[in-house]
Amino acid sequence: MDAEAGVGGADQLPWRQHYRNLLLLAYQSFGVVYGDLSTSPLYVYKSTFSGRLRRYQDEQTVFGVLALIFWTFTLIPLLKYVTIVLSADDNGEGGPFALYSLLCRHAKLSFLPNQQSADEELSTYYRNGFTSRHGSLPWLRRFMEKHKNARTVLLLIVLCGASMMIGDGILTPAISVLSSMSGLKVRATGLHDRSVVLLSCIVLVGLFALQHRGTQKVAFMFAPIVVIWLFCIGGIGLYNIIHWNPRIYQALSPYYIVKFFRTTGKDGWIALGGILLSMTGCEAMFADLGHFTSASVRLAFITIIYPCLILQYMGQAAFLSKNILDMPTGFYDSIPGPIFWPVFVVATLAAVVGSQAVISATFSIVKQCHSLGCFPRVKVVHTSRWIYGQIYIPEINWILMVLCVAVTVAFRDITLIGNAYGVACMTVMFVTTFLMALIMIFVWQKNIIFALSFFLLFGSVEVVYLSSSLMKVTQGGWVPLVLALIFMSVMYIWHYGTRKKYQYDLQNKVAMRYILSLGPSLDVVRVPGIGLIYTELVTGVPNIFTHFTTNLPAFHEVLVFLCVKSVPVPYVSPDERYLVGRIGPRAYRMYRCIVRYGYKDVQRDDDNFENMLVMNIGKFIMMEAEDASSSASYDTANEGRMAVITTSDDYDSPLAVRDSNDLADSMTTRSTKSESLRSLQSSYEQESPNVSRRRRVRFELPEEDDMDQQVKDELLALVEAKHTGVTYVMGHVYIKARKNSSFFKRFAIDVGYSFLRKNCRGPSVTLHIPHISLIEVGMAYQV
């Protein structure tokens, strides 16, 4: 009996732990995911009744607006996002680029140039239960894969959605903070608009100034604020329903929507631009999905977010139906007097939390764009040791701050900012609907009728709202369009220039026949050490190698052609990150290493990359020796063959590692360098804390009698080369369009791409290459 109880308790334990974790994640999601969505009641009614709808301020119109808010909030956030879109996550990641990445892996739609068939073997490449490229419409897949223009249009649509998401990162803090601070005018009647704007700008500057501290504590620190805020507005809404107009529940009938449009006509359609603000924050909810599970996000929305917000919208409508003249400050006027100031403080804090959620989503979107070759190189800081993927991008942060303050000062009006906000949000939502329809066909392998039904149902609603927002282009709606145009131009020009540069490298790579004709010495003086040649090519020898040896006929004894590339998956496991292969016969001592990162992976500089690289090459040499099919003779047919090297297990490593922190070992490892170079390197390491903190190791080759002599010699040469030193060789490329190129190409390459390349971070900084060991080779490309 006790044994059975013990087994039952053991079986129940994982379930208890599962539900405990689910509740914990749902609680944390309030602080990161729902901040923006939960602050919408601050400005929805004010924006809706600010235009021509002022002429219809009566109880029936308020009932019609509430009916539209209720059904819009039910249809888009609840039915579309929570029920359907959250199921389309890319290994837990959300956002437009996550959907695009998912599409590119199930159909050949990507423009990433250096993709390999080996990338498809990654454990996160395909969704569970789906096979490669067997969608329900093979003719549509073939059409999009065959026609470059179709793939370009798809990329532009995704870039448009990403640009509008960045626009959200500018407009959300502005409208949230300004609307919360405007509550001061309810009690401080003598307060001028300029004072409210000034206070809002101070809060915004403080918000962006604190971003460098990271969002690792946001979930636990901000979640109580949002939960308190939701219960406050839900309770206030319930109070207003009972106190002002208990009949307000009747407004939930679709009848009042029909009656609303019959009465207001075109003016009611234009007013939809204010009603759509009730669902802003849905895209941030999807983009910030990475640190939570879809189940936890759904649980939080259904149990607390949805009922509290509906109660608030109903309560505010009940108050306004009996107090029409209080429409401009309806939210704060509906708060009972004794609790006004506590609710005001919570509202201000909730507005800051909502802004934080969208800013974090913006950093995530920019990082995805950069990883997929659609954004210039920027500094990405990993802000948390425990929560993987939380990042901070200084350049983007300050750009957002300047633009956000500029919008607040220029408009000074919640209605105008709301018009701009609506255009951005509805564009992103429509892009998501379009991508979701493709996901259903290519990834979920659903029938086209299912995908079309989804697109027509939600797309038609979003098009109606978007058309209403576009009617207000002259009243602030032009801001997101201009911002999107600028960001899209930057993204596409960078993507276009990067692709042209890779195509030039691919067309001008060195033939293996020429390399083999040079012999093991490569017709140059082979000096001690390891030469790491950075290249974007995954096969062949880059032109930078021959350009270097032509001007300086000497190179290192061990050559490693290193390619650090992004693959269209969110994360790459460390055990699948490294691909190692050989170039030429064994005597040439030439290797190729490909390091793969996902679009959410952050390349850290705290790990000693050189040591990891040597260990992996050593493992490859042993793997190759143990392979019965490999022979001593070199076969050109094997060129390009790569092996995945696992990094978690060191028991199969042929090299022993010991710490080398003492001065004697340090002097021994540098004994082949000149005195001046050793002095310079010592000074550099003292001035660079990241370098000086790195663990120093010394590799040793164990004494094994059964090891093949050729393998032993090769490993010994690798170890000696590592102890001598590692030199990084990178191309400093100047790209210019050919004279007979079109005007667009010359402008994109000679002006746009050249400007971006000169003003973004260099590749050596992005890859954390120590300057003391870097050699840059000047190259001129005509593309």
Side-chain angles (χ1 to χ4, degrees):
M1 194 79 171
D2 293 337
E4 291 179 2
V7 172
D11 290 339
Q12 292 174 2
L13 206 59
W15 286 103
R16 290 178 181 175
Q17 186 66 32
H18 169 75
Y19 286 118
R20 189 181 296 116
N21 292 337
L22 180 64
L23 291 173
L24 180 63
L25 287 173
Y27 168 75
Q28 290 178 333
S29 69
F30 289 108
V32 177
V33 174
Y34 289 116
D36 184 19
L37 191 65
S38 63
T39 55
S40 296
L42 288 170
Y43 43 78
V44 169
Y45 283 102
K46 173 179 170 58
S47 298
T48 303
F49 283 95
S50 61
R52 297 180 183 179
L53 218 59
R54 291 175 183 170
R55 294 177 290 182
Y56 305 92
Q57 291 187 1
D58 53 47
E59 184 178 84
Q60 295 301 310
T61 306
V62 172
F63 274 39
V65 170
L66 175 60
L68 281 166
I69 291 174
F70 172 77
W71 288 106
T72 299
F73 197 76
T74 301
L75 189 64
I76 303 298
L78 179 61
L79 187 58
K80 176 190 167 184
Y81 277 93
V82 174
T83 307
I84 301 175
V85 174
L86 289 183
S87 301
D89 63 289
D90 182 12
N91 292 285
E93 298 301 322
F97 261 97
L99 297 179
Y100 178 67
S101 170
L102 203 56
L103 283 172
C104 290
R105 301 205 303 271
H106 291 78
K108 295 179 180 179
L109 305 177
S110 175
F111 283 100
L112 283 175
N114 52 4
Q115 300 304 292
Q116 304 167 273
S117 57
D119 297 338
E120 299 183 15
E121 298 174 4
L122 291 169
S123 58
T124 55
Y125 200 85
Y126 293 115
R127 288 175 64 94
N128 293 332
F130 296 96
T131 55
S132 123
R133 295 190 290 275
H134 291 136
S136 59
L137 289 179
W139 62 268
L140 179 59
R141 177 173 59 82
R142 287 194 298 267
F143 173 81
M144 297 192 69
E145 291 177 349
K146 182 179 179 181
H147 292 82
K148 181 181 176 182
N149 291 337
R151 290 183 285 130
T152 302
V153 169
L154 178 62
L155 176 63
L156 289 174
I157 291 173
V158 174
L159 293 182
C160 178
S163 301
M164 288 294 183
M165 277 290 294
I166 298 174
D168 277 354
I170 297 168
L171 298 170
T172 298
I175 191 172
S176 297
V177 173
L178 186 59
S179 60
S180 65
M181 298 303 291
S182 65
L184 287 170
K185 294 193 295 184
V186 174
R187 292 302 174 91
T189 54
L191 195 66
H192 296 288
D193 289 341
R194 288 178 297 179
S195 302
V196 174
V197 171
L198 178 61
L199 290 173
S200 300
C201 290
I202 293 173
V203 173
L204 289 171
V205 171
L207 172 65
F208 284 101
L210 292 175
Q211 289 300 310
H212 71 281
R213 301 186 66 87
T215 57
Q216 64 213 32
K217 297 180 181 178
V218 167
F220 259 103
M221 207 170 73
F222 285 173
I225 296 173
V226 178
V227 172
I228 293 171
W229 165 251
L230 287 166
F231 284 128
C232 279
I233 61 176
I236 292 170
L238 185 60
Y239 166 81
N240 286 328
I241 292 171
I242 298 171
H243 182 74
W244 291 106
N245 194 346
R247 295 188 305 107
I248 198 68
Y249 72 90
Q250 297 175 3
L252 303 183
S253 170
Y255 164 76
Y256 285 95
I257 297 178
V258 177
K259 191 173 182 179
F260 172 81
F261 284 113
R262 281 180 180 173
T263 305
T264 60
K266 182 180 178 181
D267 294 339
W269 168 61
I270 295 176
L272 291 176
I275 294 171
L276 69 85
L277 296 178
S278 63
M279 53 183 172
T280 54
C282 293
E283 277 303 323
M285 175 178 68
F286 185 41
D288 281 327
L289 184 62
H291 307 307
F292 308 96
T293 62
S294 56
S296 63
V297 173
R298 287 189 177 108
L299 179 65
F301 185 91
I302 294 171
T303 56
I304 296 181
I305 296 291
Y306 185 80
C308 287
L309 288 179
I310 292 300
L311 280 175
Q312 167 56 211
Y313 286 124
M314 291 177 66
Q316 204 173 152
F319 173 81
L320 292 175
S321 66
K322 302 300 181 182
N323 301 272
I324 295 295
L325 296 179
D326 292 330
M327 194 68 71
T329 53
F331 174 80
Y332 285 104
D333 285 328
S334 68
I335 301 173
I339 62 171
F340 175 84
W341 288 111
V343 173
F344 171 77
V345 172
V346 175
T348 304
L349 294 175
V352 173
V353 175
S355 304
Q356 175 66 55
V358 180
I359 293 169
S360 300
T362 303
F363 291 154
S364 179
I365 290 292
V366 171
K367 173 65 172 66
Q368 293 178 20
C369 294
H370 166 63
S371 298
L372 296 177
C374 295
F375 204 88
R377 291 179 292 267
V378 290
K379 182 179 181 180
V380 179
V381 181
H382 200 279
T383 60
S384 174
R385 294 181 181 178
W386 301 279
I387 304 177
Y388 193 74
Q390 289 195 352
I391 59 173
Y392 163 69
I393 304 177
E395 296 94 332
I396 299 301
N397 182 66
W398 301 125
I399 290 173
L400 291 179
M401 187 194 76
V402 171
L403 292 176
C404 185
V405 172
V407 167
T408 305
V409 172
F411 287 138
R412 305 185 181 186
D413 186 2
I414 298 172
T415 303
L416 296 178
I417 301 176
N419 294 339
Y421 193 25
V423 173
C425 289
M426 289 315 304
T427 304
V428 177
M429 289 182 185
F430 185 74
V431 169
T432 300
T433 301
F434 173 75
L435 294 175
M436 274 300 303
L438 295 179
I439 290 287
M440 291 175 180
I441 295 173
F442 294 134
V443 182
W444 292 357
Q445 302 175 8
K446 298 293 184 181
N447 192 284
I448 188 173
I449 297 176
F450 183 83
L452 280 177
S453 301
F454 172 86
F455 181 74
L456 292 176
L457 174 62
F458 297 107
S460 59
V461 174
E462 290 162 355
V463 164
V464 171
Y465 277 107
L466 182 60
S467 63
S468 171
S469 299
L470 292 176
M471 291 296 293
K472 301 178 181 178
V473 169
T474 58
Q475 302 170 22
W478 57 270
V479 172
L481 299 178
V482 172
L483 291 175
L485 181 63
I486 294 172
F487 283 114
M488 275 186 68
S489 300
V490 169
M491 291 179 184
Y492 189 76
I493 287 175
W494 183 261
H495 177 77
Y496 180 77
T498 303
R499 196 151 42 92
K500 289 297 180 184
K501 177 179 175 294
Y502 179 83
Q503 290 173 356
Y504 184 92
D505 282 333
L506 193 62
Q507 294 167 2
N508 293 274
K509 66 181 181 179
V510 183
M512 279 306 303
R513 189 178 304 169
Y514 171 75
I515 295 294
L516 294 175
S517 68
L518 298 177
S521 68
L522 299 178
D523 206 22
V524 295
V525 178
R526 301 294 289 267
V527 297
I530 296 178
L532 282 183
I533 304 176
Y534 275 88
T535 175
E536 294 181 0
L537 298 177
V538 293
T539 58
V541 176
N543 191 32
I544 180 179
F545 174 71
T546 54
H547 187 75
F548 182 90
T549 54
T550 300
N551 292 277
L552 182 64
F555 224 101
H556 299 81
E557 184 180 6
V558 176
L559 292 180
V560 181
F561 293 92
L562 183 65
C563 174
V564 179
K565 72 170 190 175
S566 295
V567 288
V569 297
Y571 302 103
V572 176
S573 167
D575 283 341
E576 299 176 311
R577 191 177 304 283
Y578 291 89
L579 286 172
V580 181
R582 186 186 296 280
I583 300 178
R586 178 174 293 173
Y588 282 55
R589 302 290 191 262
M590 295 170 65
Y591 308 95
R592 182 186 310 284
C593 181
I594 298 174
V595 187
R596 302 178 291 187
Y597 288 94
Y599 58 77
K600 291 285 286 185
D601 283 324
V602 178
Q603 301 177 30
R604 303 188 183 184
D605 60 347
D606 54 353
D607 296 325
N608 199 326
F609 177 74
E610 297 173 6
N611 297 334
M612 185 69 69
L613 188 65
V614 171
M615 289 287 289
N616 288 331
I617 294 176
K619 289 181 181 181
F620 167 76
I621 293 171
M622 289 300 297
M623 287 175 59
E624 188 185 45
E626 294 169 359
D627 186 2
S629 62
S630 63
S631 59
S633 61
Y634 175 73
D635 186 2
T636 55
N638 293 331
E639 177 64 29
R641 288 181 57 186
M642 309 286 289
V644 179
I645 308 298
T646 58
T647 58
S648 59
D649 297 327
D650 291 333
Y651 69 91
D652 58 346
S653 174
L655 302 177
V657 181
R658 70 179 179 89
D659 288 330
S660 178
N661 291 322
D662 55 278
L663 180 63
D665 283 340
S666 179
M667 294 298 293
T668 303
T669 57
R670 298 177 190 169
S671 59
T672 57
K673 295 183 178 181
S674 65
E675 186 68 30
S676 59
L677 185 58
R678 276 183 284 163
S679 175
L680 184 62
Q681 183 162 355
S682 177
S683 301
Y684 172 77
E685 291 176 355
Q686 291 176 2
E687 296 174 0
S688 304
N690 289 337
V691 175
S692 60
R693 283 198 303 263
R694 287 181 176 177
R695 177 192 175 200
R696 298 185 186 280
V697 300
R698 183 172 180 82
F699 293 98
E700 293 179 348
L701 191 63
E703 295 293 336
E704 294 186 12
D705 297 333
D706 57 343
M707 183 181 293
D708 183 79
Q709 188 61 38
Q710 285 188 337
V711 175
K712 191 172 184 178
D713 292 342
E714 187 172 9
L715 290 172
L716 188 60
L718 177 66
V719 170
E720 291 178 350
K722 171 62 176 70
H723 292 164
T724 301
V726 178
T727 301
Y728 299 80
V729 181
M730 179 173 288
H732 187 83
V733 180
Y734 175 74
I735 301 178
K736 191 173 181 63
R738 292 192 180 97
K739 293 182 179 180
N740 59 347
S741 301
S742 63
F743 171 78
F744 168 78
K745 184 176 180 180
R746 282 187 281 113
F747 178 82
I749 298 296
D750 297 346
V751 180
Y753 185 74
S754 177
F755 173 81
L756 293 174
R757 191 179 58 82
K758 289 177 182 177
N759 290 278
C760 73
R761 289 183 174 266
S764 60
V765 178
T766 306
L767 295 168
H768 311 295
I769 297 175
H771 296 291
I772 193 69
S773 304
L774 176 64
I775 297 176
E776 289 191 297
V777 182
M779 303 283 288
Y781 289 3
Q782 279 200 336
V783 298

